[in-house]
């Protein structure tokens, strides 16, 4: 049965950009499962699949609905044991949670400082209003004031990526010889930036840049199929 | 056969404080192997076991000499397969390298800013001179000038630990239900601070503080057996 994968999209429904949705999308690809993307704008996320406060990604697999990218990865590994493990077993899964928290705490703020306005601009009008209201409430300033505070040279993102870049000097993927969900966590953050922002801060010839290009090419280039914002 | 574990020590040979040596010491304990600590001051490290530029930890196991805490963990898992895996398998080992690089890049600088002078003060006179010369060369300033630049409230260390603290909200150890080498990496950084510095910046009732206390108690309290600097 085809798994439904609800993903956040911009005004263009093909422009799926959420870092968390890219984590679960790549997990589905990793496992070679049959799935279909359902693109959902911000203002329709909360009520997906009968929810009242949902956050994407959400999957429906038959009668089962699962929310949250890591919970989806755990569900897929538990329920499709004959496909390649995306978490890499219980010990790696435990460490993957740390990678997720590190990305959320270090990479996501750096991407937000670069792309906050670009993300806004990519949305349909109704979603723009929702995004502005919710984000400005959290930020305590307008999106424009927030964005203006930060340089757009990618230096903070580069510093945040340093432990990851160092790791890639010794192994091709965070998961070792082949990628695991931990790789898709970092991929999600960089794909979020790539799809929403015309900024080009990642050196394609750096270890991280080369790793990102390899991941964009994987699984018939599903990551590259969403064009970079121009 | 008893494994020899060469560890860095202060003027008091019982005061073993190196973060990297605590990683390998805890790995030996984790695996329940018979080992003996050989305490080595800074100025005797380079020529250990016939080396000319060694860095501790170093182990000798029969005819085999292994240097570097992660290489030691890999060696122990490969050569003592009937004892509990300390890396948790190849996937977790790959992610553990990231944890090591994260700790080195984020925790170690925060500890250095807190304890640089305390580490110096813990050494024997010959080692003090060596430590001062090598560190001041790297820092481009005196130890005192370096130390004076940074507050001693532990705020930077607390911020650096955030992704780890968040992870502990969902699981008792970085390795999941039981500790793995990844835990010993973080333990090493905090034990380094505990053994060398009278500063008390870690809240024992926080998730990280509770985790640290549990690790200090493990393996018959081997971590706690080295007293905190007063």
């Amino acid at each position: 049965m085809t798994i439904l994968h609800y993903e956040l999209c911009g005004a263009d429904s093909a422009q799926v950009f959420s870092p968390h949705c890219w984590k679960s999308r790549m997990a589905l690809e990793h496992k070679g499962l049959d799935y279909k993307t359902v693109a959902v704008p911000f203002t329709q996320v909360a009520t997906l699949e009968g929810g009242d406060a949902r956050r994407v990604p959400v999957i429906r697999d038959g009668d089962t609905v699962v929310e949250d990218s890591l919970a989806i990865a755990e569900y897929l590994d538990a329920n499709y044991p004959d496909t390649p493990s995306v978490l890499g077993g219980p010990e790696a899964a435990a460490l993957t949670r740390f990678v997720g928290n590190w990305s959320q705490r270090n990479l996501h703020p750096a991407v937000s400082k670069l792309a906050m306005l670009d993300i806004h601009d990519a949305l349909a009008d109704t979603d723009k209003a929702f995004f502005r209201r919710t984000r400005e409430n959290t930020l305590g300033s307008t999106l424009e004031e927030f964005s203006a505070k930060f340089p757009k040279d990618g230096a903070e993102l580069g510093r945040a990526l340093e432990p990851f870049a160092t790791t890639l000097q010794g192994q091709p993927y965070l998961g070792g010889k082949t990628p695991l969900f931990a790789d898709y966590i970092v991929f999600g953050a960089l794909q979020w930036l790539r799809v929403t922002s015309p900024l080009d801060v990642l050196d394609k010839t750096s270890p991280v840049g080369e790793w990102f290009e390899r991941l964009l090419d994987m699984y018939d280039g599903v990551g590259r199929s969403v064009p970079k914002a121009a």
Side-chain angles (χ1 to χ4, degrees), chain A residues 132-213:
Chain A
R132 181 178 288 281
R133 186 175 71 251
T134 53
R135 269 54 180 179
E136 291 188 346
N137 190 40
T138 303
L139 296 170
S141 71
T142 67
L143 299 180
E144 288 76 7
E145 286 163 351
F146 172 79
S147 182
K149 281 193 284 188
F150 304 107
K152 299 293 181 274
D153 58 1
E156 179 179 338
L157 182 62
R159 280 193 302 275
L161 282 164
E162 277 174 1
F164 175 61
T166 305
T167 305
L168 292 182
Q169 290 170 12
Q171 59 198 48
Y173 298 98
L174 202 41
K177 291 178 186 164
T178 55
L180 288 175
F181 193 75
D183 289 89
Y184 306 143
I185 288 171
V186 184
F187 177 81
L190 297 183
Q191 175 78 327
W192 179 31
L193 178 64
R194 175 182 168 277
V195 172
T196 59
S197 172
L199 290 170
D200 221 351
V201 298
L202 199 63
D203 175 2
K204 285 188 174 61
T205 67
S206 67
V208 175
E210 289 179 352
W211 164 91
F212 188 55
E213 293 296 313

Side-chain angles (χ1 to χ4, degrees), chain A residues 16 63 67 76 86 90 92 98 104 114 131 136 152 158 165 180 198 205 209 226 228:
Chain A
V16 287
D63 290 337
E67 180 177 321
L76 295 177
V86 69
F98 170 75
Q104 191 72 33
L114 291 168
F131 182 84
E136 291 188 346
K152 299 293 181 274
L180 288 175
T205 67
V226 181
K228 173 160 179 59

Side-chain angles (χ1 to χ4, degrees), chain A residues 94-111:
Chain A
L95 298 179
T96 298
R97 287 184 203 103
F98 170 75
V99 176
N101 291 321
W102 165 77
S103 176
Q104 191 72 33
R105 177 71 68 173
N106 295 274
L107 303 187
H108 284 219
V111 172

Side-chain angles (χ1 to χ4, degrees), chain A residues 12-80:
Chain A
D12 174 357
S13 67
Q15 197 186 23
V16 287
F17 65 83
S18 153
H20 306 294
C21 297
W22 274 104
K23 297 177 200 173
S24 46
R25 163 89 81 113
M26 294 296 269
L28 288 159
E29 293 283 351
H30 180 102
K31 297 184 81 68
L33 295 170
D34 184 29
Y35 74 96
K36 186 183 150 195
T37 278
V38 183
V40 185
F42 263 117
T43 46
Q44 292 176 29
V45 167
T47 56
L48 271 179
E49 288 288 4
D52 63 2
R54 288 216 185 272
R55 304 179 71 172
V56 281
V58 172
I59 62 165
R60 168 173 284 280
D61 184 20
D63 290 337
T64 306
V65 175
V66 187
E67 180 177 321
D68 178 80
S69 67
L70 192 56
I72 290 170
E74 287 169 342
Y75 168 84
L76 295 177
D77 270 356
N79 288 274
Y80 295 93

